[in-house]
Amino acid sequence: MNYGKIALHQYASASPAGEDVAGYSLEVSSIFHPDFIDFNPDVLAMIGWGAYSDTVDYQRFSALIGIPFESPAAIRFSQASRAYVAGGFEYQNADIGTNDRDTAPTVRIGVRERHGSFEVDVHGRLVAGDFDYWASAAAVHYPVTEGWDVFGGAELWDGDLGGVAGASARF
């Protein structure tokens, strides 16, 4: 769960009046151990930024902190499985005229599993506030070198189905 990634997104609108949305995102995730916390040895910090566009330009910035843990047996398919729960805030800016900025609470849950040389990442996030939405994604990561992966998958973002592809560096 220690990585930095860049991804390209393409969504097809679910409504007939809607437009297709395209964009990109950057994300960094790191597990660390603060000495002043006794209840759990690991803490997960995640930050992300994304920019998307159709007739409206939209940007989001998220900062979350959470707890990584071993996946429950009911959802574990391999021994190399980690889950996490994180909460924080997401700042959103949409070019729609009035009330085009919002800072809202967000929750993200996910599971990452290694299957041989492939890694599967499944996660979902819920953002409340004026621009509330639910997004869920599933991607398969394939290592190109010891520290770099390429990935591709599908994402459902606020009712619109899309594809995501990119590269990530593990550290």
Side-chain angles (χ1 to χ4, degrees):
M1 289 193 201
N2 293 323
Y3 63 85
K5 74 178 183 180
I6 184 168
L8 300 174
H9 303 262
Q10 177 69 47
Y11 302 94
S13 178
S15 69
E19 296 184 35
D20 296 344
V21 176
Y24 59 94
S25 65
L26 305 169
E27 185 174 291
V28 176
S29 172
S30 181
I31 295 175
F32 62 97
H33 176 72
D35 293 332
F36 60 89
I37 297 178
D38 293 332
F39 68 91
N40 188 346
D42 293 330
V43 173
L44 174 67
M46 303 174 87
I47 59 170
W49 178 80
Y52 312 91
S53 185
D54 60 6
T55 56
V56 173
D57 292 332
Y58 172 81
Q59 294 182 9
R60 65 178 179 85
F61 173 79
S62 58
L64 299 105
I65 193 149
I67 300 171
F69 52 91
E70 193 172 310
S71 298
I75 61 172
R76 188 180 318 140
F77 296 102
S78 71
Q79 292 302 314
S81 179
R82 298 279 291 183
Y84 63 89
V85 175
F89 290 93
E90 181 163 294
Y91 169 80
Q92 301 171 65
N93 183 15
D95 185 16
I96 57 175
T98 62
N99 195 20
D100 56 357
R101 292 185 176 94
D102 187 34
T103 301
T106 183
V107 175
R108 182 169 167 165
I109 59 172
V111 176
R112 289 183 75 110
E113 288 209 18
R114 182 155 304 278
H115 298 276
S117 61
F118 290 94
E119 187 173 60
V120 177
D121 173 19
V122 178
H123 66 267
R125 67 183 183 273
L126 174 64
V127 177
D130 292 339
F131 302 139
D132 62 333
Y133 69 88
W134 165 258
S136 56
V140 175
H141 296 250
Y142 181 76
V144 177
T145 67
E146 188 171 322
W148 287 90
D149 295 350
V150 293
F151 64 89
E155 186 169 27
L156 186 61
W157 181 35
D158 204 24
D160 294 340
L161 183 61
V164 60
S168 64
R170 290 176 275 119
F171 53 89

